[in-house]
DNA sequence: GAGTTTGAAACT
DNA sequence: CAGTTTCAAACTC
């Protein structure tokens, strides 16, 4: 990676102006080349960011790769930075800031390398592209540095004047940056002069950048780091794909750097989001007013917003690729990831303030389908995080089922999300939604099929998270877990966003709904001594592994829906409304399967032969198979009860139907666009040992969550991210054989399916990345329904 | 909101 | 594998 990039960068830089890419950019943004660059960033970031964040994997190895990747980019960056700053008198503030940040981030070794390149380049006007690259490369590092910097205070500089003021303060930061960057110092010096000339000094920029970069809390920084590390594989994939699309290597580098930058930026943004949301709108408006598209004001509050603003302005003005939407999407992805990581810390802090902006997307998942999709709604807080977490847990499911169609859907949803983001994030953005969509489509088209998948997955997650939008989030977050649940249920929101109240299990046992759903606990949870948080990822994964070792299906969806399932169940299947059945069946003795104590009833499915219940009166179908009563209470005795329950049944049952397939998935925000995956039911032949259920449902809710859910992680998570490592390892270690070998679904299911399901999420995540693909294959074999990472759905 | 009931999960 | 205990959700008051 490094070598090729370097080579590319060095040569291209000199040729930059001549390069077709450059020309193209210029054509796009006649006003300012810099803007065009940003646009490219947004685009790249969009494709790139979404997936990584969601699927960020815990794999350490991946982190290394990422770091390398970043470094390589950085190498190119330094030179670019220096030049860019100089060149960019036009866009002094914003870009300079970025460049400053980048400089800070630059590694010494890298810097040296870059310098070599820089010397020649320095004079030349590094055009926006270079700058972007620099930003992308440097930002990550700079962010890290900033975390520790005393000047972390993100004082917003709405205007150039502000920036200048900050400059006075900046000196410290600059020093730091200079120190950090051995080679970069030279750049800074050169640039500093220019800064003065331009009116936006390096210092000011550096300060701003530092502000942006600075994490509100150490935790955030850590989370951010984690994100960066996690996503490397995916990023690489995106980059490669992106590069392939572009004619010249130079462009690819730029894109990569941009992507990286955006990723980092997003992370920051997520961390900082809470405060940002309120401010963003006004700021964005302000930025919009600025001809240059300087989003400086936003920078103070949140770098993420800042970038987005710029993007909006720029993109809206000229670039065909809707950058904003793109940029937003990545953010959503990142947010999810961040949520995973930061759920505990950030959300809390956020909740206190604005209501947890940090992980809006994730929250959205929790919420029903976000009608508005507003990022702001994100609320972040607990909900979002939760949503994210589920996403992670669900990742496998969500990923597995992805198909081209799903991709399309995702794209659409993404577009919608993007639009929503645009609306919310930049209320003032000049861009029209259509343009954004177009840009998104273009970006998608550009990306490789795999990339597309990844993007879609990310996008999907984003959508989910975003969907939740209601401003109510804050309220919900504040409310007690029970109230939230009830609201969710009543409101029809997905039950998937579960909030536990564990006191003794540390949320590391299946008692914990969150843990069982493969989601990290979030603020809304009232759990005590909770270890089901990104901070304890290792513990969570280890515990999961243990549980899966005992019961591979432990994390598998409890309710399987599918025509197949019905066939397997035979009579039972006919009974259940949706031909869905509880995987293991219930063991009710006193509730007559008429209350939510009964998992079958709770899942909105009839009891099956697998059930050991006594006196089954399940309204959805008794295990006798005698009659499907359905939710309607047919039985005489229970008629009254039924009536009482009806109200409940219908509502929650409906939820189940929507969510049931993916119980967890339901947690994922039901996306208007249809994010919800169809239940992936694995119809396994009789072979399955599973005593009770022949099928394994892949993941119902998980899948949805994953995409989102998570995204988890994710979606992602980020679960996605967490799960990724374990799942992969688990899959490979534990399940792989089963999946691969098991020609028969049942066998796979029994031994692996549950695990695979669980595991799969992470795998799926990986699947997005080339590295992960291997895991995906295994999963697919074992579990047909599993969506690939791409799934986006 | 506190207490009870219930059944899954975990343990032996 | 069966029995018991633990646990947290669901439910009731």
């Amino acid at each position: 990676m490094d070598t090729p990039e370097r080579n590319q960068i060095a040569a291209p830089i000199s040729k930059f102006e001549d390069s077709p890419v450059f020309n193209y950019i210029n054509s796009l943004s006649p006003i300012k080349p810099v803007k065009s660059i940003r646009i490219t960033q947004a685009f790249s970031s969009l494709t790139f960011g979404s997936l990584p964040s969601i699927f960020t994997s815990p794999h350490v190895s991946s982190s290394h790769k990422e770091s390398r990747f970043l470094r390589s980019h950085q190498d190119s960056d330094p030179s670019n930075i220096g030049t860019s700053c100089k060149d960019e008198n036009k866009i002094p503030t914003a870009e300079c800031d970025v460049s400053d940040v980048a400089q800070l981030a630059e590694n010494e070794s890298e810097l040296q390398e870059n310098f070599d390149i820089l010397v020649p380049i320095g004079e030349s006007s590094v055009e926006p592209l270079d700058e972007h690259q620099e930003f992308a490369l440097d930002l990550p590092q700079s962010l890290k540095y900033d975390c520790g910097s005393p000047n972390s205070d993100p004082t917003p500089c709405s205007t150039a004047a502000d920036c200048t003021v900050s400059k006075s303060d900046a000196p410290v930061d600059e020093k730091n940056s200079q120190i950090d960057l051995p080679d970069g110092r030279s750049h800074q010096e050169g640039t500093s002069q220019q800064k003065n000339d331009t009116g936006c000094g390096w210092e000011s920029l550096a300060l701003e950048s530092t502000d942006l970069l600075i994490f509100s809390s150490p935790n955030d920084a850590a989370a951010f780091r984690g994100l960066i590390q996690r996503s490397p594989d995916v990023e690489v994939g995106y980059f490669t794909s992106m590069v392939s699309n572009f004619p010249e290597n130079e462009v690819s580098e730029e894109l990569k750097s941009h992507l990286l930058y955006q990723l980092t930026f997003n992370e920051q943004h997520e961390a900082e989001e809470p405060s940002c949301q309120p401010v963003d709108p006004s700021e964005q408006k302000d930025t919009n007013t600025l001809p240059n598209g300087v989003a400086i004001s936003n920078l103070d509050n949140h770098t993420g917003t800042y970038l987005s603003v710029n993007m909006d302005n720029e993109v809206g003005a000229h670039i065909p690729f809707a950058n904003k939407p793109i940029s937003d999407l990545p953010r959503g992805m990142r947010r999810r990831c961040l949520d995973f990581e930061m759920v505990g810390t950030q959300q809390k802090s956020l909740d206190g303030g604005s209501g947890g902006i940090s992980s809006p997307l994730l929250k959205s998942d929790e919420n029903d389908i976000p009608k508005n999709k507003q990022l702001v709604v994100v609320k972040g807080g607990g909900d979002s995080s939760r949503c994210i977490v589920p996403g992670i847990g669900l990742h496998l499911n969500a990923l597995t089922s992805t198909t081209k169609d799903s991709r399309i859907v995702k794209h659409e949803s993404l577009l919608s999300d993007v639009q929503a983001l645009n609306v919310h994030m930049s209320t003032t953005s000049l861009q029209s939604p259509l343009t954004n969509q177009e840009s998104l489509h273009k970006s998608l088209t550009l990306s490789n099929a795999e990339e597309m998948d990844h993007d879609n997955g990310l996008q999907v997650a984003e959508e989910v998270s975003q969907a939740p939008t209601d401003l109510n989030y804050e309220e919900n977050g504040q409310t007690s877990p029970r109230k939230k649940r009830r609201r969710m249920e009543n409101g029809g929101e997905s039950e998937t966003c579960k909030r536990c109240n564990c006191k003794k299990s540390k949320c590391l046992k299946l008692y914990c709904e969150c843990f069982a759903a493969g989601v990290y606990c979030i603020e809304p949870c009232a759990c005590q001594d909770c270890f089901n948080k990104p901070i304890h990822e290792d513990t969570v994964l280890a515990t999961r592994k243990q549980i899966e070792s005992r019961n591979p299906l432990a994390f598998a969806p409890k309710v399987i829906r599918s025509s197949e399932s019905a066939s397997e169940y035979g009579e039972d299947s006919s009974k259940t409304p949706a031909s869905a059945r509880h995987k293991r069946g219930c063991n009710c003795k006193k509730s007559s399967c008429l209350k939510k104590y009964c998992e079958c009833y709770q899942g909105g499915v009839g009891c099956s032969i697998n059930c050991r219940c006594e006196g089954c009166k399940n309204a959805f179908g008794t295990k006798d198979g005698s009659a499907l009563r359905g939710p309607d209470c047919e039985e005489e005795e229970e008629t009254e009860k039924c009536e009482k329950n009806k109200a409940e049944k219908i509502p929650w049952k409906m939820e189940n139907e929507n969510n049931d397939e993916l119980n967890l998935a339901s947690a994922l925000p039901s996306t208007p666009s249809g994010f919800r995956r169809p239940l992936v039911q694995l119809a396994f032949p009789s072979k399955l040992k599973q005593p009770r259920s022949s099928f394994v449902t892949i993941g119902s809710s998980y899948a949805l969550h994953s995409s989102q859910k998570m995204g988890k992680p994710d979606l992602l998570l980020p679960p996605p991210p967490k799960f990724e490592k374990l799942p992969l390892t688990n899959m490979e270690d534990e399940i792989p054989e089963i999946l691969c070998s098991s020609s028969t679904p049942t066998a796979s299911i029994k031994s692996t399916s549950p695990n695979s399901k669980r595991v799969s999420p992470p795998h799926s995540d990986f699947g997005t990345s080339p590295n992960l693909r291997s895991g995906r294959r295994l999963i697919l074999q074992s579990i047909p329904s599993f969506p690939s990472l791409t799934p986006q759905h």
Side-chain angles (χ1 to χ4, degrees), chain A residues 670-708:
Chain A
S670 58
T671 59
S673 61
F675 274 106
R676 292 181 182 175
R677 300 175 180 174
L679 292 182
V680 175
Q681 295 172 342
L682 297 179
F684 297 92
S686 58
K687 268 188 169 183
L688 295 181
K689 293 179 180 178
Q690 294 175 344
R692 295 182 181 175
S693 64
S694 59
F695 313 80
V696 174
T697 57
I698 296 170
S700 49
S701 57
Y702 287 102
L704 295 178
H705 289 289
S706 63
S707 74
Q708 303 110 187

Side-chain angles (χ1 to χ4, degrees), chain A residues 538-553:
Chain A
D538 294 342
T539 302
V540 173
L541 293 176
T543 302
R544 280 179 64 100
K545 206 167 185 178
Q546 290 179 353
I547 293 170
E548 288 181 350
S549 65
R550 279 184 277 168
N551 177 14
L553 297 176

Side-chain angles (χ1 to χ4, degrees), chain A residues 35 38 81 182 240 288 313 329 357 359 361 364 422-423 448 454 486 528 559 568 597 612 673 721 736 776:
Chain A
K35 290 180 179 180
R38 288 181 181 178
I81 292 166
T240 56
N288 291 340
N313 293 342
L329 293 175
I357 296 163
S359 61
L361 294 177
S364 64
N422 291 337
V423 172
N448 292 346
H454 292 291
R486 289 182 182 178
Q528 298 175 359
V559 175
E568 290 180 353
Y597 295 126
R612 296 174 240 169
S673 61
R776 188 190 290 176

Side-chain angles (χ1 to χ4, degrees), chain A residues 131-143:
Chain A
E131 291 178 354
H132 289 290
Q133 291 175 347
E134 291 177 353
F135 289 107
L137 297 175
D138 294 346
L139 288 178
Q141 292 176 348
S142 64
L143 291 175

Side-chain angles (χ1 to χ4, degrees), chain A residues 321-547:
Chain A
F321 293 94
N323 296 336
K324 285 182 75 175
I326 294 167
S327 62
D328 291 348
L329 293 175
R331 291 178 183 175
M333 296 300 290
R334 296 171 187 174
R335 288 179 182 175
R336 291 179 181 174
C337 295
L338 292 175
D339 290 347
F340 279 96
E341 293 176 353
M342 303 187 59
V343 169
T345 59
Q346 286 180 340
Q347 285 178 343
K348 288 179 181 178
S349 63
L350 292 174
D351 290 351
S354 62
I357 296 163
S358 62
S359 61
L361 294 177
L362 294 178
K363 285 184 177 179
S364 64
D365 291 350
E366 288 181 358
N367 292 344
D368 303 350
I369 297 162
K371 298 170 181 179
N372 296 340
K373 292 179 179 179
Q374 296 172 345
L375 293 178
V376 173
V377 172
V378 174
K379 12 196 129 186
D383 294 351
S384 64
S385 62
R386 253 193 196 255
C387 293
I388 294 167
V389 171
I392 294 167
L394 300 177
H395 290 302
L396 295 177
N397 294 340
L399 293 175
T400 57
S401 66
T402 62
T403 60
K404 292 178 180 179
D405 294 347
S406 65
R407 290 179 183 177
I408 295 167
V409 173
K410 288 179 180 179
H411 288 291
E412 292 176 355
S413 64
L414 289 175
L415 293 174
S416 63
D417 291 347
V418 171
Q419 291 175 349
L421 291 174
N422 291 337
V423 172
H424 295 291
M425 294 300 290
S426 61
T427 56
T428 62
S429 66
L430 297 176
Q431 292 176 342
S432 66
L434 295 175
T435 58
N436 292 341
Q437 291 177 348
E438 290 177 355
S439 65
L440 291 176
H441 288 290
K442 290 178 180 179
S443 65
L444 292 175
T445 58
L446 292 175
S447 65
N448 292 346
E450 290 178 354
E451 290 176 353
M452 292 297 290
D453 292 348
H454 292 291
D455 292 348
N456 291 342
L458 293 176
Q459 290 174 351
V460 171
E462 290 178 355
E463 288 181 355
V464 172
S465 65
Q466 292 175 348
T469 69
D470 296 347
L471 297 177
N472 295 337
Y473 280 103
E474 292 177 354
E475 292 178 357
N476 292 343
Q478 293 176 350
T479 62
S480 65
R482 280 191 182 182
K483 290 180 180 179
K484 290 178 181 178
R485 273 191 193 169
R486 289 182 182 178
R487 287 182 182 178
M488 294 295 286
E489 291 177 356
N490 294 341
E493 287 181 356
S494 64
E495 292 174 351
T496 57
C497 299
K498 295 178 180 178
R499 300 181 179 93
C500 67
N501 191 27
C502 304
K503 294 179 181 177
K504 294 181 180 179
S505 65
K506 295 180 181 179
C507 298
L508 289 176
K509 293 186 178 181
L510 293 175
Y511 295 127
C512 176
E513 291 185 358
C514 297
F515 180 79
V519 178
Y520 289 117
C521 291
I522 302 171
E523 288 182 355
C525 294
C527 48
Q528 298 175 359
D529 296 338
C530 178
F531 279 78
N532 185 27
K533 293 181 179 180
I535 296 171
H536 302 288
E537 180 179 358
D538 294 342
T539 302
V540 173
L541 293 176
T543 302
R544 280 179 64 100
K545 206 167 185 178
Q546 290 179 353
I547 293 170

Side-chain angles (χ1 to χ4, degrees), chain A residues 733-761:
Chain A
D733 296 348
E734 297 176 355
I735 298 169
E737 293 177 355
I738 296 167
L739 294 176
C740 295
S741 64
S742 64
S743 61
T744 63
T746 58
S748 66
I749 292 166
K750 191 172 187 180
S751 60
T752 59
S753 65
N755 291 342
S756 63
K757 290 177 181 179
R758 271 289 173 172
V759 173
S760 63

